[in-house]
Amino acid sequence: MERYDFAVIGSGAGGAGVAARLVEGGASVLMAEKGGFTEVRPDAMESVNRYYFNGGYFTVFGNVLLGIPTGIAVGGTTTINSGTCMKTPWPLLERWQERSRGRFQAQSFERILDVVGEKINMRRAPESTMSRSSRLILEGARRLGIAGAHLLERCENGCQGRGRCCFICPSGGKMTSYKAFLEPLRNHPRFHIKIRHELADIEPAHRARGPARIRLRSLDTSRVETVECRALILSAGALATPYFVRRFQLGRNWRLAGDGLSVHPATKIFAHFDEPVEGWKGVPQGVGFTVEGQERVRFEGVYTPPELAAITMPLEGRRLKWWMDRFGHVATFGLMIQDESRGRIRYPLGPGYPYVRYIMIEADRRRMLRAIRTVAEVFFAAGAKKVLLPVNRKANEFDSARELGREDFSRARPQEIQMMAFHPLGTCAMGLVTDENLQISPGIFICDGSVVPESLGVNPQMTIYAFALRLAEHLLKETLA
């Protein structure tokens, strides 16, 4: 039987961060990852099929049609995210401290965020990798008097601006959790990773004094092996971790696991220009801004390759062909909502088939439609000749800002808005399902997006990394003391 100080389930931002710091602190760590190592694929759709959960076709039920793409690979969702780095907003940190009555320390977490920035090589995207879409957005924002549009900070080391961040970086320049935290441990004697393995069991007889034994199952051979460890860290992600909590009834509030899901509902707008845009050149999410009066909306760049754009544009027939024939002249820009809406996740068919229900409330619907109009106006100010809105209505193409202004689509229902959700959070919230040290029961901890107590309004990877380093310090002090 293999024995380790800690076992970590999942290799995304939470799992990789906590594992690396534990090994650095002298602990032995076993990591189990359901996915495998990634390879660059020539076609974006092939990457989606290989490295996205359920081949990228996982969606939710409720009053929205909302896809939630997450990664299944070594590095988790950091292998398919945009690389954008944003610190946890200070007002949220203060609120978490107040709610915890000081057990969560805002200033301490802020210092850990600075450490994370160094670990993942966080830096502002250089102008040399700015896409044409980003340049057009900056120009349109300037003409409309929108202050503060700027290059975003990213985690990268050698980015070549090849426009494939979300489909496995072809140059290896994006700092995924594997590259930043796990690759340096490749030959470390105290670290071992089992790819294509899943958590099968936590031995019930040992719950009273912690999970002394867990069982892992190989997805390739179905072989089950038992591992002994001092503590278990669940880092399977906000969509999967609640399954284990509910299955093994972990903690006093295990029935709340899966509730409180926030997702940052997001969408994108397409615009056609006379000049070539060639959106595949440059960093897709290189530029962002906020707008006064729309404080719960963050505007950020995006690029969708043609093989995916063809199935995501709310068009068909000749109208769709018109856009695809001119795709080299099409710019794209996106936005996301710091949602007040919440969802829940359950597992009637097991961990591989989660059932998610999410109801978009009226306030978020209004925010989304107003923000869509804002991006369209920015594109027209930049010189766009035609703009396509992500609204499944006949009137969703416009040839001018004046024509756009005459159209009232404010009553579009949530299910008529074409959206995605890239940041599932909150399903095992700190202070509700776990305590402030992310412990859920003796010897069992959670560290991934599920512990984030509320919708962040910013890209969450830095927050999750910071939770990971914070948890590792606690475990080194309390478990190995």
Side-chain angles (χ1 to χ4, degrees):
M1 182 188 302
E2 295 181 70
R3 294 177 175 83
Y4 296 85
D5 292 319
F6 301 98
V8 180
I9 308 301
S11 64
V18 72
R21 180 64 192 100
L22 289 172
V23 172
E24 183 183 287
S28 60
V29 176
L30 171 69
M31 173 173 283
E33 166 54 52
K34 194 171 183 178
F37 290 97
T38 60
E39 296 178 357
V40 177
R41 315 306 300 181
D43 186 274
M45 182 60 77
E46 188 175 356
S47 293
V48 170
N49 289 332
R50 284 175 177 259
Y51 304 123
Y52 282 53
F53 173 69
N54 202 31
Y57 293 104
F58 173 71
T59 190
V60 308
F61 298 89
N63 66 345
V64 292
L65 182 62
L66 193 66
I68 307 180
T70 57
I72 297 291
V74 177
T77 302
T78 69
T79 63
I80 62 164
N81 70 11
S82 295
T84 302
C85 296
M86 294 184 178
K87 289 186 174 182
T88 320
W90 179 253
L92 295 186
L93 298 182
E94 288 185 312
R95 185 151 66 234
W96 300 348
Q97 177 172 301
E98 182 180 353
R99 287 175 181 170
S100 71
R101 297 181 180 179
R103 290 185 293 272
F104 175 91
Q105 291 290 323
Q107 289 187 346
S108 174
F109 199 86
E110 178 82 2
R111 288 193 292 270
I112 298 173
L113 287 168
D114 291 333
V115 174
V116 169
E118 295 177 6
K119 291 278 188 182
I120 63 177
N121 201 39
M122 171 182 165
R123 65 176 185 139
R124 180 155 292 190
E127 287 195 22
S128 60
T129 60
M130 195 189 310
S131 70
R132 184 61 184 155
S133 287
S134 292
R135 295 181 188 277
L136 289 166
I137 283 291
L138 288 178
E139 178 61 20
R142 184 189 65 79
R143 290 178 179 175
L144 289 182
I146 296 174
H150 62 281
L151 289 162
L152 296 173
E153 291 184 300
R154 309 181 67 250
C155 54
E156 59 102 337
N157 185 16
C159 172
Q160 297 176 8
R162 294 170 65 179
R164 293 288 295 269
C165 306
C166 297
F167 311 103
I168 311 303
C169 174
S171 67
K174 186 174 70 171
M175 293 292 284
T176 66
S177 66
Y178 172 74
K179 186 171 182 180
F181 289 93
L182 300 182
E183 191 174 43
L185 303 179
R186 202 166 34 183
N187 299 314
H188 201 291
R190 292 195 300 272
F191 177 75
H192 184 60
I193 182 171
K194 292 180 182 290
I195 63 171
R196 303 274 303 153
H197 278 69
E198 65 179 357
L199 178 64
D201 193 22
I202 301 172
E203 205 164 290
H206 295 272
R207 283 189 192 166
R209 58 185 178 86
R213 291 178 182 175
I214 63 171
R215 292 191 178 94
L216 300 175
R217 178 186 295 112
S218 168
L219 296 176
D220 296 322
T221 66
S222 296
R223 178 174 175 266
V224 176
E225 55 190 297
T226 302
V227 175
E228 241 182 39
C229 58
R230 296 192 189 191
L232 170 68
I233 298 101
L234 296 172
S235 300
L239 299 182
T241 290
Y243 167 78
F244 299 108
V245 177
R246 298 184 68 84
R247 176 185 172 186
F248 297 110
Q249 298 183 13
L250 303 175
R252 290 180 299 177
N253 293 328
W254 66 268
R255 289 181 177 84
L256 299 179
D259 294 348
L261 173 69
S262 66
V263 296
H264 285 162
T267 193
K268 57 185 176 293
I269 294 85
F270 294 95
H272 178 262
F273 289 81
D274 282 342
E275 62 189 271
V277 175
E278 299 178 325
W280 54 88
K281 295 180 180 179
V283 173
Q285 201 168 88
V287 162
F289 61 89
T290 57
V291 174
E292 186 177 354
Q294 299 187 57
E295 284 75 16
R296 294 187 72 95
V297 181
R298 182 166 293 276
F299 299 87
E300 295 178 349
V302 66
Y303 168 67
T304 306
E307 57 267 38
L308 291 174
I311 61 175
T312 59
M313 285 182 168
L315 298 170
E316 59 184 11
R318 293 180 179 177
R319 295 173 68 201
L320 176 60
K321 185 177 185 302
W322 188 95
W323 283 89
M324 298 311 301
D325 285 346
R326 296 159 177 80
F327 205 74
H329 289 246
V330 174
T332 322
F333 204 74
L335 61 99
M336 68 181 185
I337 305 295
Q338 184 183 10
D339 48 335
E340 293 183 272
S341 309
R342 291 294 182 269
R344 64 185 301 189
I345 184 168
R346 295 295 185 266
Y347 307 88
L349 300 177
Y353 303 93
Y355 175 88
V356 177
R357 182 170 176 81
Y358 183 91
I359 301 297
M360 175 173 276
I361 65 173
E362 176 62 16
D364 285 342
R365 184 195 71 87
R366 290 197 303 267
R367 290 183 182 106
M368 177 67 71
L369 292 172
R370 182 181 178 189
I372 287 170
R373 185 180 292 275
T374 296
V375 175
E377 290 169 350
V378 171
F379 268 136
F380 279 126
K385 300 304 178 183
K386 186 184 290 286
V387 168
L388 172 63
L389 305 188
V391 181
N392 286 305
R393 289 186 162 195
K394 184 176 180 180
N396 58 8
E397 294 176 279
F398 301 93
D399 295 325
S400 68
R402 178 176 295 181
E403 184 182 353
L404 174 71
R406 289 197 299 264
E407 180 66 28
D408 180 15
F409 53 87
S410 62
R411 294 188 178 181
R413 297 170 298 166
Q415 55 265 46
E416 293 181 286
I417 309 170
Q418 199 164 59
M419 292 180 282
M420 297 287 284
F422 298 98
H423 306 141
L425 303 169
T427 50
C428 293
M430 177 186 69
L432 186 64
V433 177
T434 77
D435 67 15
E436 282 72 23
N437 292 319
L438 308 188
Q439 184 168 352
I440 188 168
S441 63
I444 304 180
F445 299 80
I446 296 177
C447 189
D448 52 32
S450 70
V451 302
V452 178
E454 60 189 298
S455 183
L456 292 173
V458 299
N459 302 57
Q461 69 170 333
M462 287 196 71
T463 300
I464 299 170
Y465 279 131
F467 271 121
L469 298 187
R470 177 178 177 268
L471 173 59
E473 294 299 334
H474 170 76
L475 292 173
L476 290 171
K477 178 181 178 181
E478 299 295 329
T479 307
L480 294 187

Short mmCIF file of all heavy atoms in Angstrom, two decimals, residues 48-94:
data_model
loop_
_atom_site.label_atom_id
_atom_site.label_comp_id
_atom_site.label_asym_id
_atom_site.label_seq_id
_atom_site.Cartn_x
_atom_site.Cartn_y
_atom_site.Cartn_z
N VAL A 48 -11.50 20.89 -28.02
CA VAL A 48 -12.70 20.91 -27.21
C VAL A 48 -13.16 19.48 -26.91
O VAL A 48 -13.48 19.14 -25.77
CB VAL A 48 -13.82 21.70 -27.92
CG1 VAL A 48 -15.16 21.52 -27.20
CG2 VAL A 48 -13.45 23.18 -27.98
N ASN A 49 -13.19 18.64 -27.90
CA ASN A 49 -13.64 17.27 -27.72
C ASN A 49 -12.74 16.47 -26.77
O ASN A 49 -13.20 15.62 -26.02
CB ASN A 49 -13.72 16.55 -29.06
CG ASN A 49 -14.87 17.03 -29.93
OD1 ASN A 49 -15.88 17.50 -29.41
ND2 ASN A 49 -14.71 16.95 -31.24
N ARG A 50 -11.45 16.77 -26.80
CA ARG A 50 -10.49 16.01 -26.00
C ARG A 50 -10.34 16.53 -24.57
O ARG A 50 -10.21 15.74 -23.63
CB ARG A 50 -9.10 16.05 -26.66
CG ARG A 50 -8.95 15.16 -27.87
CD ARG A 50 -7.59 15.38 -28.51
NE ARG A 50 -7.36 14.48 -29.64
CZ ARG A 50 -6.63 13.37 -29.59
NH1 ARG A 50 -6.03 13.05 -28.44
NH2 ARG A 50 -6.47 12.60 -30.62
N TYR A 51 -10.36 17.86 -24.39
CA TYR A 51 -9.91 18.43 -23.12
C TYR A 51 -10.97 19.23 -22.37
O TYR A 51 -10.68 19.78 -21.32
CB TYR A 51 -8.66 19.29 -23.36
CG TYR A 51 -7.56 18.53 -24.03
CD1 TYR A 51 -7.02 18.98 -25.25
CD2 TYR A 51 -7.06 17.36 -23.49
CE1 TYR A 51 -6.01 18.28 -25.88
CE2 TYR A 51 -6.06 16.63 -24.12
CZ TYR A 51 -5.54 17.10 -25.32
OH TYR A 51 -4.53 16.39 -25.94
N TYR A 52 -12.18 19.30 -22.91
CA TYR A 52 -13.28 19.95 -22.22
C TYR A 52 -14.19 18.88 -21.62
O TYR A 52 -14.42 17.83 -22.23
CB TYR A 52 -14.11 20.82 -23.17
CG TYR A 52 -13.51 22.16 -23.52
CD1 TYR A 52 -12.22 22.28 -24.02
CD2 TYR A 52 -14.26 23.32 -23.39
CE1 TYR A 52 -11.69 23.51 -24.36
CE2 TYR A 52 -13.75 24.56 -23.74
CZ TYR A 52 -12.45 24.64 -24.22
OH TYR A 52 -11.92 25.87 -24.56
N PHE A 53 -14.71 19.18 -20.43
CA PHE A 53 -15.63 18.25 -19.80
C PHE A 53 -16.80 17.95 -20.73
O PHE A 53 -17.42 18.85 -21.28
CB PHE A 53 -16.15 18.84 -18.47
CG PHE A 53 -17.24 18.03 -17.84
CD1 PHE A 53 -16.97 16.78 -17.30
CD2 PHE A 53 -18.53 18.51 -17.78
CE1 PHE A 53 -17.97 16.02 -16.72
CE2 PHE A 53 -19.54 17.76 -17.20
CZ PHE A 53 -19.26 16.51 -16.68
N ASN A 54 -17.06 16.66 -20.92
CA ASN A 54 -18.16 16.20 -21.76
C ASN A 54 -18.04 16.72 -23.19
O ASN A 54 -19.05 16.98 -23.86
CB ASN A 54 -19.51 16.59 -21.15
CG ASN A 54 -20.65 15.72 -21.65
OD1 ASN A 54 -20.45 14.54 -21.95
ND2 ASN A 54 -21.84 16.29 -21.75
N GLY A 55 -16.81 16.89 -23.64
CA GLY A 55 -16.59 17.36 -25.01
C GLY A 55 -17.09 18.75 -25.28
O GLY A 55 -17.33 19.13 -26.44
N GLY A 56 -17.25 19.55 -24.21
CA GLY A 56 -17.70 20.92 -24.39
C GLY A 56 -19.19 21.07 -24.54
O GLY A 56 -19.69 22.18 -24.76
N TYR A 57 -19.94 19.99 -24.38
CA TYR A 57 -21.38 20.05 -24.62
C TYR A 57 -22.20 19.99 -23.33
O TYR A 57 -23.37 19.64 -23.35
CB TYR A 57 -21.81 18.91 -25.55
CG TYR A 57 -21.26 19.08 -26.94
CD1 TYR A 57 -20.19 18.31 -27.38
CD2 TYR A 57 -21.78 20.05 -27.80
CE1 TYR A 57 -19.67 18.46 -28.65
CE2 TYR A 57 -21.25 20.22 -29.07
CZ TYR A 57 -20.20 19.42 -29.49
OH TYR A 57 -19.68 19.59 -30.74
N PHE A 58 -21.57 20.32 -22.23
CA PHE A 58 -22.30 20.33 -20.96
C PHE A 58 -23.06 21.65 -20.83
O PHE A 58 -22.51 22.72 -21.02
CB PHE A 58 -21.32 20.19 -19.79
CG PHE A 58 -21.96 20.34 -18.46
CD1 PHE A 58 -22.82 19.37 -17.97
CD2 PHE A 58 -21.73 21.47 -17.69
CE1 PHE A 58 -23.43 19.52 -16.74
CE2 PHE A 58 -22.32 21.62 -16.45
CZ PHE A 58 -23.18 20.64 -15.98
N THR A 59 -24.33 21.55 -20.51
CA THR A 59 -25.13 22.76 -20.37
C THR A 59 -26.01 22.64 -19.13
O THR A 59 -25.96 21.65 -18.42
CB THR A 59 -25.99 23.01 -21.62
OG1 THR A 59 -26.58 24.31 -21.55
CG2 THR A 59 -27.09 21.96 -21.76
N VAL A 60 -26.79 23.66 -18.86
CA VAL A 60 -27.60 23.72 -17.64
C VAL A 60 -29.08 23.79 -18.01
O VAL A 60 -29.44 24.07 -19.16
CB VAL A 60 -27.22 24.92 -16.76
CG1 VAL A 60 -25.74 24.98 -16.50
CG2 VAL A 60 -27.69 26.24 -17.40
N PHE A 61 -29.91 23.58 -17.00
CA PHE A 61 -31.36 23.67 -17.16
C PHE A 61 -31.86 24.87 -16.36
O PHE A 61 -31.22 25.32 -15.42
CB PHE A 61 -32.02 22.38 -16.69
CG PHE A 61 -31.61 21.18 -17.48
CD1 PHE A 61 -30.50 20.44 -17.09
CD2 PHE A 61 -32.31 20.78 -18.59
CE1 PHE A 61 -30.10 19.31 -17.81
CE2 PHE A 61 -31.92 19.67 -19.32
CZ PHE A 61 -30.81 18.93 -18.93
N GLY A 62 -33.01 25.36 -16.73
CA GLY A 62 -33.58 26.51 -16.06
C GLY A 62 -34.20 27.42 -17.09
O GLY A 62 -34.81 26.97 -18.06
N ASN A 63 -34.03 28.73 -16.93
CA ASN A 63 -34.59 29.67 -17.90
C ASN A 63 -33.53 30.20 -18.84
O ASN A 63 -33.72 31.23 -19.49
CB ASN A 63 -35.30 30.83 -17.19
CG ASN A 63 -34.34 31.70 -16.41
OD1 ASN A 63 -33.20 31.33 -16.15
ND2 ASN A 63 -34.80 32.88 -16.02
N VAL A 64 -32.36 29.50 -18.91
CA VAL A 64 -31.27 29.91 -19.80
C VAL A 64 -30.73 28.68 -20.51
O VAL A 64 -30.84 27.55 -20.03
CB VAL A 64 -30.12 30.58 -19.02
CG1 VAL A 64 -30.53 31.92 -18.46
CG2 VAL A 64 -29.62 29.68 -17.90
N LEU A 65 -30.14 28.91 -21.67
CA LEU A 65 -29.34 27.89 -22.35
C LEU A 65 -27.89 28.31 -22.15
O LEU A 65 -27.39 29.21 -22.81
CB LEU A 65 -29.69 27.82 -23.84
CG LEU A 65 -28.94 26.74 -24.63
CD1 LEU A 65 -29.28 25.35 -24.11
CD2 LEU A 65 -29.27 26.85 -26.12
N LEU A 66 -27.22 27.65 -21.20
CA LEU A 66 -25.96 28.16 -20.68
C LEU A 66 -24.92 27.05 -20.64
O LEU A 66 -25.03 26.12 -19.83
CB LEU A 66 -26.19 28.73 -19.28
CG LEU A 66 -25.12 29.59 -18.64
CD1 LEU A 66 -24.94 30.89 -19.40
CD2 LEU A 66 -25.52 29.90 -17.21
N GLY A 67 -23.92 27.09 -21.51
CA GLY A 67 -22.84 26.13 -21.46
C GLY A 67 -21.82 26.50 -20.40
O GLY A 67 -21.56 27.69 -20.18
N ILE A 68 -21.25 25.50 -19.74
CA ILE A 68 -20.22 25.75 -18.72
C ILE A 68 -18.98 24.94 -19.10
O ILE A 68 -18.85 23.76 -18.72
CB ILE A 68 -20.69 25.36 -17.31
CG1 ILE A 68 -22.03 26.02 -16.98
CG2 ILE A 68 -19.65 25.77 -16.28
CD1 ILE A 68 -22.56 25.69 -15.60
N PRO A 69 -18.04 25.51 -19.85
CA PRO A 69 -16.84 24.76 -20.24
C PRO A 69 -15.82 24.68 -19.12
O PRO A 69 -15.41 25.69 -18.55
CB PRO A 69 -16.30 25.58 -21.42
CG PRO A 69 -16.78 26.97 -21.18
CD PRO A 69 -18.10 26.84 -20.46
N THR A 70 -15.43 23.47 -18.76
CA THR A 70 -14.35 23.25 -17.79
C THR A 70 -13.39 22.22 -18.37
O THR A 70 -13.76 21.43 -19.24
CB THR A 70 -14.89 22.76 -16.44
OG1 THR A 70 -15.65 21.57 -16.63
CG2 THR A 70 -15.77 23.82 -15.79
N GLY A 71 -12.17 22.22 -17.86
CA GLY A 71 -11.13 21.38 -18.43
C GLY A 71 -11.01 20.03 -17.76
O GLY A 71 -11.16 19.90 -16.55
N ILE A 72 -10.75 19.00 -18.56
CA ILE A 72 -10.43 17.66 -18.08
C ILE A 72 -9.04 17.32 -18.61
O ILE A 72 -8.87 16.82 -19.73
CB ILE A 72 -11.45 16.62 -18.56
CG1 ILE A 72 -12.83 16.93 -17.99
CG2 ILE A 72 -11.02 15.22 -18.15
CD1 ILE A 72 -12.95 16.72 -16.50
N ALA A 73 -8.03 17.65 -17.82
CA ALA A 73 -6.64 17.44 -18.24
C ALA A 73 -5.74 17.77 -17.07
O ALA A 73 -6.19 18.35 -16.07
CB ALA A 73 -6.29 18.36 -19.43
N VAL A 74 -4.49 17.40 -17.16
CA VAL A 74 -3.51 17.82 -16.17
C VAL A 74 -3.39 19.34 -16.28
O VAL A 74 -3.03 19.86 -17.33
CB VAL A 74 -2.15 17.14 -16.40
CG1 VAL A 74 -1.13 17.66 -15.40
CG2 VAL A 74 -2.28 15.63 -16.28
N GLY A 75 -3.71 20.02 -15.21
CA GLY A 75 -3.80 21.48 -15.24
C GLY A 75 -5.23 21.96 -15.16
O GLY A 75 -5.47 23.17 -15.02
N GLY A 76 -6.20 21.03 -15.27
CA GLY A 76 -7.60 21.40 -15.15
C GLY A 76 -8.02 22.50 -16.10
O GLY A 76 -7.55 22.57 -17.24
N THR A 77 -8.86 23.38 -15.64
CA THR A 77 -9.40 24.45 -16.49
C THR A 77 -8.34 25.48 -16.83
O THR A 77 -8.51 26.24 -17.80
CB THR A 77 -10.61 25.09 -15.80
OG1 THR A 77 -11.60 24.08 -15.56
CG2 THR A 77 -11.25 26.17 -16.67
N THR A 78 -7.21 25.52 -16.12
CA THR A 78 -6.16 26.48 -16.49
C THR A 78 -5.57 26.15 -17.86
O THR A 78 -4.92 27.00 -18.46
CB THR A 78 -5.04 26.53 -15.44
OG1 THR A 78 -4.29 25.31 -15.44
CG2 THR A 78 -5.58 26.81 -14.06
N THR A 79 -5.78 24.93 -18.35
CA THR A 79 -5.27 24.59 -19.68
C THR A 79 -6.14 25.19 -20.78
O THR A 79 -5.69 25.33 -21.92
CB THR A 79 -5.21 23.06 -19.88
OG1 THR A 79 -6.53 22.52 -19.80
CG2 THR A 79 -4.32 22.42 -18.84
N ILE A 80 -7.39 25.55 -20.43
CA ILE A 80 -8.30 26.04 -21.47
C ILE A 80 -8.85 27.43 -21.15
O ILE A 80 -9.78 27.89 -21.80
CB ILE A 80 -9.48 25.07 -21.69
CG1 ILE A 80 -10.31 24.93 -20.41
CG2 ILE A 80 -8.98 23.72 -22.19
CD1 ILE A 80 -11.67 24.30 -20.60
N ASN A 81 -8.28 28.10 -20.14
CA ASN A 81 -8.76 29.45 -19.85
C ASN A 81 -8.01 30.48 -20.69
O ASN A 81 -7.14 30.14 -21.49
CB ASN A 81 -8.69 29.77 -18.35
CG ASN A 81 -7.26 29.93 -17.83
OD1 ASN A 81 -6.30 30.01 -18.60
ND2 ASN A 81 -7.11 29.97 -16.52
N SER A 82 -8.35 31.74 -20.52
CA SER A 82 -7.74 32.79 -21.33
C SER A 82 -6.45 33.33 -20.75
O SER A 82 -5.81 34.18 -21.37
CB SER A 82 -8.75 33.95 -21.50
OG SER A 82 -9.87 33.53 -22.24
N GLY A 83 -6.07 32.87 -19.57
CA GLY A 83 -4.83 33.33 -18.96
C GLY A 83 -4.94 34.66 -18.24
O GLY A 83 -3.94 35.17 -17.73
N THR A 84 -6.13 35.23 -18.18
CA THR A 84 -6.31 36.55 -17.58
C THR A 84 -6.20 36.47 -16.06
O THR A 84 -6.75 35.58 -15.43
CB THR A 84 -7.68 37.12 -17.95
OG1 THR A 84 -7.77 37.19 -19.38
CG2 THR A 84 -7.88 38.51 -17.37
N CYS A 85 -5.46 37.42 -15.49
CA CYS A 85 -5.20 37.43 -14.04
C CYS A 85 -5.79 38.69 -13.41
O CYS A 85 -5.45 39.80 -13.81
CB CYS A 85 -3.69 37.42 -13.77
SG CYS A 85 -2.87 35.92 -14.33
N MET A 86 -6.64 38.49 -12.41
CA MET A 86 -7.22 39.61 -11.68
C MET A 86 -7.28 39.26 -10.20
O MET A 86 -7.72 38.16 -9.84
CB MET A 86 -8.62 39.93 -12.19
CG MET A 86 -8.63 40.46 -13.61
SD MET A 86 -10.30 40.93 -14.14
CE MET A 86 -9.93 41.55 -15.79
N LYS A 87 -6.86 40.18 -9.37
CA LYS A 87 -6.90 39.95 -7.94
C LYS A 87 -8.34 39.97 -7.42
O LYS A 87 -9.21 40.64 -7.99
CB LYS A 87 -6.08 41.02 -7.20
CG LYS A 87 -4.58 40.89 -7.38
CD LYS A 87 -3.86 41.89 -6.50
CE LYS A 87 -2.35 41.69 -6.55
NZ LYS A 87 -1.64 42.63 -5.65
N THR A 88 -8.55 39.26 -6.35
CA THR A 88 -9.85 39.29 -5.68
C THR A 88 -10.17 40.72 -5.27
O THR A 88 -9.35 41.37 -4.62
CB THR A 88 -9.83 38.41 -4.42
OG1 THR A 88 -9.10 37.21 -4.68
CG2 THR A 88 -11.24 38.09 -3.97
N PRO A 89 -11.31 41.25 -5.64
CA PRO A 89 -11.65 42.64 -5.25
C PRO A 89 -11.59 42.83 -3.73
O PRO A 89 -12.12 42.00 -2.98
CB PRO A 89 -13.07 42.82 -5.79
CG PRO A 89 -13.16 41.86 -6.93
CD PRO A 89 -12.35 40.68 -6.52
N TRP A 90 -10.96 43.90 -3.31
CA TRP A 90 -10.77 44.16 -1.89
C TRP A 90 -12.08 44.21 -1.11
O TRP A 90 -12.16 43.66 0.00
CB TRP A 90 -9.97 45.45 -1.69
CG TRP A 90 -9.77 45.79 -0.25
CD1 TRP A 90 -10.36 46.78 0.47
CD2 TRP A 90 -8.90 45.10 0.67
NE1 TRP A 90 -9.93 46.77 1.77
CE2 TRP A 90 -9.03 45.75 1.92
CE3 TRP A 90 -8.03 44.01 0.56
CZ2 TRP A 90 -8.34 45.33 3.05
CZ3 TRP A 90 -7.34 43.59 1.69
CH2 TRP A 90 -7.49 44.25 2.92
N PRO A 91 -13.17 44.82 -1.62
CA PRO A 91 -14.43 44.82 -0.86
C PRO A 91 -14.92 43.42 -0.52
O PRO A 91 -15.53 43.21 0.54
CB PRO A 91 -15.40 45.57 -1.78
CG PRO A 91 -14.52 46.43 -2.61
CD PRO A 91 -13.29 45.63 -2.85
N LEU A 92 -14.68 42.46 -1.41
CA LEU A 92 -15.09 41.09 -1.11
C LEU A 92 -14.25 40.50 0.02
O LEU A 92 -14.78 39.82 0.91
CB LEU A 92 -14.96 40.21 -2.36
CG LEU A 92 -15.87 40.53 -3.54
CD1 LEU A 92 -15.73 39.48 -4.62
CD2 LEU A 92 -17.32 40.65 -3.11
N LEU A 93 -12.94 40.76 -0.02
CA LEU A 93 -12.08 40.26 1.05
C LEU A 93 -12.50 40.82 2.40
O LEU A 93 -12.54 40.11 3.41
CB LEU A 93 -10.62 40.62 0.77
CG LEU A 93 -10.00 40.02 -0.50
CD1 LEU A 93 -8.53 40.43 -0.61
CD2 LEU A 93 -10.13 38.51 -0.51
N GLU A 94 -12.83 42.11 2.41
CA GLU A 94 -13.30 42.72 3.66
C GLU A 94 -14.61 42.08 4.13
O GLU A 94 -14.81 41.84 5.33
CB GLU A 94 -13.49 44.22 3.46
CG GLU A 94 -12.20 45.01 3.34
CD GLU A 94 -12.44 46.50 3.27
OE1 GLU A 94 -13.30 46.91 2.46
OE2 GLU A 94 -11.78 47.24 4.01
#
